[in-house]
């Protein structure tokens, strides 16, 4: 019992010892943890210090480089400004020289203008005289042109009359040739009626018989020509005009009497008929 009592009495002491041992172990762990934290903090502080110092050195070097660059730029600006000042001084000198030259030139220009004014005045007087002479010559020229125009007009009228006379002569020769040749009935009356009108013929041919008689005369003088003309145009007036051109009776009045169309229509168709006949 005493042994058991001693063991029971020792239990609290053992519990206390174990508690102290557990507290001691916790304290050791805490101390090691703080030590590790201090080491980590010290290493981190050292690294941060090194980085900050390195950055400060880089910034200092950049500032120094920037200051050197600014000094170089400033030196160049001062040098450029000096060069500009020298150029400005040279320009001012040149401007003064130019002003002197311009003043001299202006004086010479004034003298030259005065001489030119005197010359212009003389020229104006000469031009005035020339204009008076030219006016007289223009009046004479207009009179000569008017006289020449009248002469040319008379000459054109004479030429036109001569051409008409020659044309009428040729037409009359062709009429005489057709009158003495061929077998077309009433041919003489037809040709005379076409050339001179109804008042110069004793036997008047009706209008509806004129075309068949001209076609018969054309077939007799130029066989197959009528068919070729008819193939080129369906216009009866143009056909009749082409018939007369083929017979070399290209007279406006004869075409007028053969077609009974207005002279304006005959003249409008004539060039086209000539072009068609040129192809034949």
């Amino acid at each position: 019992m005493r042994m058991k009592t001693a063991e029971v009495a020792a239990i609290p002491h053992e519990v206390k010892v174990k508690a102290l041992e557990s507290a001691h172990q916790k304290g050791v762990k805490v101390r090691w943890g703080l030590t590790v934290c201090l080491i980590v903090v010290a290493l981190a502080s050292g690294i941060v210090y090194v980085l900050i110092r390195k950055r400060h050195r880089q910034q200092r070097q950049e500032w120094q480089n920037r200051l050197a660059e600014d000094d170089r730029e400033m030196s160049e600006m001062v040098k450029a400004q000096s060069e500009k000042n020298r150029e400005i001084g040279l320009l001012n000198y040149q401007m003064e020289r130019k002003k002197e030259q311009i003043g001299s030139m202006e004086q010479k220009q004034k003298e030259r203008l005065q001489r030119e004014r005197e010359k212009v005045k003389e020229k104006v007087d000469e031009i005035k005289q020339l204009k008076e002479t030219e006016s007289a010559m223009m009046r004479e020229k207009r009179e000569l042109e008017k006289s020449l125009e009248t002469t040319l007009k008379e000459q054109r009228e004479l030429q036109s009359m001569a051409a008409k006379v020659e044309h009428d002569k040729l037409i009359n020769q062709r009429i005489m040739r057709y009158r003495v040749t061929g077998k077309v009935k009433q041919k003489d009356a037809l040709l005379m009626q076409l050339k001179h009108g109804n008042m110069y013929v004793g036997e008047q041919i009706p209008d509806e018989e004129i075309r068949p008689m001209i076609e018969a005369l054309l077939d007799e003088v130029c066989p197959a020509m009528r068919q070729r003309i008819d193939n080129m145009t369906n216009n009866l007036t143009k056909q009749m005009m082409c018939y007369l051109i083929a017979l070399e009776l290209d007279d406006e009045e004869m075409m007028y009497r053969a077609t009974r169309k207005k002279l304006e229509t005959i003249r409008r168709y004539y060039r086209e008929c000539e072009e068609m006949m040129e192809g034949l």
Side-chain angles (χ1 to χ4, degrees):
M1 290 296 292
R2 287 194 295 271
M3 290 176 65
K4 289 181 180 181
T5 302
E7 292 177 356
V8 172
I11 288 173
H13 179 70
E14 291 177 356
V15 171
K16 187 176 181 180
V17 170
K18 288 181 178 181
L20 290 173
E21 289 179 354
S22 177
H24 177 69
Q25 289 178 356
K26 288 182 179 179
V28 171
K29 290 180 179 180
V30 171
R31 187 169 58 249
W32 277 105
L34 292 174
T35 302
V36 170
C37 290
L38 289 173
I39 292 171
V40 170
V41 170
L43 290 174
S45 300
I47 292 170
V48 170
Y49 174 76
V50 171
L51 292 175
I52 292 173
R53 187 173 181 181
K54 184 177 180 180
R55 182 173 181 80
H56 285 173
R57 287 179 179 177
Q58 289 177 352
Q59 290 179 349
R60 187 180 298 109
Q61 186 65 34
E62 290 177 358
W63 291 340
Q64 290 176 356
N65 293 337
R66 187 176 300 173
L67 289 174
E69 182 67 21
D70 292 341
D71 292 339
R72 185 179 64 79
E73 291 179 357
M74 184 61 69
S75 177
E76 291 179 355
M77 290 176 62
V78 171
K79 185 177 179 181
Q81 187 65 34
S82 299
E83 185 66 23
K84 287 182 179 180
N85 292 335
R86 188 182 67 80
E87 292 178 356
I88 291 171
L90 181 60
L91 289 173
N92 289 332
Y93 173 74
Q94 292 177 352
M95 288 177 64
E96 292 296 330
R97 292 292 304 276
K98 291 293 183 183
K99 286 181 180 179
E100 294 176 359
Q101 293 176 359
I102 290 171
S104 177
M105 291 176 64
E106 287 178 349
Q107 183 62 31
K108 292 180 180 179
Q109 185 71 14
K110 288 180 181 179
E111 295 175 357
R112 188 176 66 82
L113 288 174
Q114 184 63 30
R115 292 194 297 271
E116 292 294 334
R117 289 192 188 97
E118 294 175 357
K119 290 181 180 180
V120 168
K121 185 177 179 181
E122 294 176 357
K123 294 293 182 183
V124 168
D125 294 337
E126 292 179 1
I127 291 171
K128 185 176 180 181
Q129 295 178 357
L130 290 173
K131 284 184 176 180
E132 293 176 355
T133 305
E134 183 182 5
S135 298
M137 293 178 65
M138 289 299 295
R139 287 193 297 272
E140 185 178 357
K141 179 183 177 182
R142 284 193 294 270
E143 292 176 358
L144 290 173
E145 287 177 349
K146 186 176 180 180
S147 176
L148 178 61
E149 183 178 357
T150 303
T151 303
L152 291 174
K153 183 177 180 181
E154 294 175 354
Q155 184 179 359
R156 286 194 296 269
E157 291 176 354
L158 290 174
Q159 289 176 350
S160 177
M161 291 175 61
K164 181 172 178 56
V165 169
E166 184 65 23
H167 184 262
D168 289 342
K169 181 180 177 181
L170 293 174
I171 294 294
N172 290 328
Q173 289 176 355
R174 293 176 190 128
I175 290 174
M176 291 300 298
R177 185 181 63 190
Y178 293 142
R179 289 178 67 182
V180 299
T181 60
K183 301 177 181 180
V184 177
K185 294 180 179 180
Q186 295 180 314
K187 178 173 55 179
D188 292 349
L190 170 67
L191 295 174
M192 294 303 293
Q193 182 172 326
L194 292 178
K195 177 61 179 173
H196 301 290
N198 297 333
M199 65 181 64
Y200 292 100
V201 296
E203 182 181 2
Q204 183 176 348
I205 300 174
D207 293 342
E208 62 271 13
E209 295 181 7
I210 291 178
R211 183 181 182 92
M213 293 177 67
I214 293 176
E215 291 177 351
L217 180 60
L218 179 61
D219 291 339
E220 179 181 334
V221 176
C222 301
M225 178 61 72
R226 182 164 62 89
Q227 184 64 36
R228 293 164 67 183
I229 293 173
D230 292 347
N231 291 336
M232 293 181 64
T233 178
N234 294 325
N235 188 298
L236 298 178
T237 301
K238 293 180 181 179
Q239 288 177 355
M240 179 63 71
M241 292 175 65
C242 290
Y243 295 163
L244 294 175
I245 292 174
L247 291 169
E248 297 182 342
L249 300 175
D250 51 340
D251 185 82
E252 287 184 356
E253 293 182 358
M254 295 181 71
M255 292 179 178
Y256 161 72
R257 295 187 181 100
T259 60
R260 293 302 177 182
K261 298 294 183 181
K262 294 181 180 180
L263 283 175
E264 291 78 5
T265 304
I266 300 298
R267 290 165 184 162
R268 189 171 66 249
Y269 287 166
Y270 188 81
R271 182 57 186 167
E272 183 179 350
C273 293
E274 273 191 332
E275 292 177 353
M276 285 193 297
M277 294 306 295
E278 287 176 1
L280 299 178

